[in-house]
Amino acid sequence: MLITFEGIDGAGKSTQIRKLQKLLAEKQCETIVLREPGGTEIAEKIRQILLESRHDITPVGELLLFSASRAELVQQVILPAIAEGKTVILDRFFDSTTAYQGYGRGLDAEMLQSIIRLSTFSLHPDITFYLDISPENAMLRKFSEKSLPLALEENELDRMERSGSDFYQRVRKGYHRIIEGEKNRFVVLDALDNPEKLHKEIVASLGERFPAFSGLRTP
Ligand SMILES: Nc1ncnc2c1ncn2[C@@H]1O[C@H](COP(=O)(O)OP(=O)(O)OP(=O)(O)O)[C@@H](O)[C@H]1O
Ligand SMILES: [Mg+2]
């Protein structure tokens, strides 16, 4: 079982993943939580290159680095875990590539799809939770109103986060297009709802869709 979480930076993915992980652990469901890019020694090194703001990377270079990290993670960790019957929760997967490198950076959609097929070994999530939020609200969440100008000034944002608000608008619209084309796989959530309500919705969706999770209840 592969569960993925998507949404722009600051949407609340990590917060919801932590809650779900805790609940599944209490139910003795064998779960592995991973994040992209990262999850293997090589993939974590690639993560550092991708997120350090001093690097200037071309869009194609960025795509290939993300994809290299993904191939390592899928082949070395995710596929073996799924084969052992574990539940894998993934913080971002190939939808992030379509949204960020495709819609955000403007790389060719067909070329992206071939690279995605290659780097994922055609692995697809069973369900994807998309947390929808505007770039403005997401930034405010990560940095309070007072500290955002300071964070910009003091170079606290990572390389992706420095891409600007127009970029994030394109990424958000990109996610909306992806979801239009694959409505069955996605559960769309309003990221402005409170974390407890979102958690309940996530657990309910899992219960409705998968018999293995039908007994799952939030406290
Ligand atoms: N539903 C929510 N309502 C209000 N604040 C939230 C909610 N979910 C998360 N937050 C807060 O918003 C910030 C960003 O949340 P989180 O780190 O979970 O987002 P993320 O999508 O994982 O971001 P990134 O892509 O940067 O890792 C955190 O400070 C978190 O406490
Ligand atoms: Mg996160």
Side-chain angles (χ1 to χ4, degrees):
M1 164 80 63
L2 176 59
I3 303 169
T4 61
F5 282 77
E6 294 283 350
I8 63 171
D9 311 52
K13 300 178 294 297
S14 303
T15 304
Q16 290 307 317
I17 288 172
R18 275 194 296 275
K19 285 182 180 295
L20 183 60
Q21 180 178 24
K22 186 164 168 266
L23 182 70
L24 292 177
E26 282 164 13
K27 307 286 175 199
Q28 263 96 49
C29 171
E30 262 210 271
T31 310
I32 299 184
V33 176
L34 299 160
R35 65 171 181 186
E36 274 215 336
T40 72
E41 207 182 325
I42 302 266
E44 288 293 335
K45 284 190 176 154
I46 298 175
R47 181 186 180 92
Q48 279 175 11
I49 300 173
L50 278 166
L51 299 184
E52 275 177 18
S53 57
R54 65 189 168 84
H55 293 306
D56 191 10
I57 306 173
T58 61
V60 174
E62 179 180 280
L63 167 71
L64 294 175
L65 283 167
F66 272 115
S67 301
S69 153
R70 178 168 301 146
E72 295 300 300
L73 184 67
V74 170
Q75 192 166 18
Q76 294 189 347
V77 185
I78 301 178
L79 288 174
I82 291 175
E84 286 169 20
K86 292 179 184 153
T87 296
V88 178
I89 302 177
L90 197 44
D91 192 338
R92 297 190 177 283
F93 197 31
F94 61 75
D95 296 312
S96 289
T97 297
T98 312
Y100 282 72
Q101 280 71 50
Y103 290 97
R105 304 264 191 240
L107 292 179
D108 177 71
E110 263 181 47
M111 186 261 305
L112 275 187
Q113 290 319 308
S114 333
I115 292 179
I116 286 173
R117 266 199 307 280
L118 179 72
S119 60
T120 58
F121 303 82
S122 297
L123 175 68
H124 256 70
D126 295 285
I127 187 168
T128 301
F129 293 102
Y130 168 67
L131 289 151
D132 192 46
I133 191 169
S134 71
E136 294 74 24
N137 280 329
M139 271 294 178
L140 279 178
R141 227 174 224 193
K142 290 195 82 158
F143 307 93
S144 66
E145 216 151 333
K146 267 198 202 135
S147 69
L148 181 57
L150 202 69
L152 280 167
E153 215 171 274
E154 295 187 352
N155 221 353
E156 261 182 41
L157 306 187
D158 73 32
R159 200 184 55 80
M160 295 302 290
E161 287 165 347
R162 298 189 69 79
S163 300
S165 148
D166 287 355
F167 171 77
Y168 278 100
Q169 294 290 4
R170 290 196 297 277
V171 173
R172 185 189 191 195
K173 287 208 183 103
Y175 271 123
H176 294 171
R177 295 248 184 91
I178 298 168
I179 293 162
E180 277 299 305
E182 247 188 300
K183 283 196 175 133
N184 286 340
R185 173 162 64 92
F186 280 92
V187 176
V188 178
L189 302 163
D190 182 348
L192 292 182
D193 283 341
N194 75 59
E196 289 310 321
K197 181 172 180 228
L198 288 167
H199 177 57
K200 283 206 168 81
E201 283 179 23
I202 288 167
V203 171
S205 300
L206 288 173
E208 278 161 26
R209 290 188 187 209
F210 306 106
F213 292 130
S214 60
L216 215 54
R217 296 274 178 281
T218 48

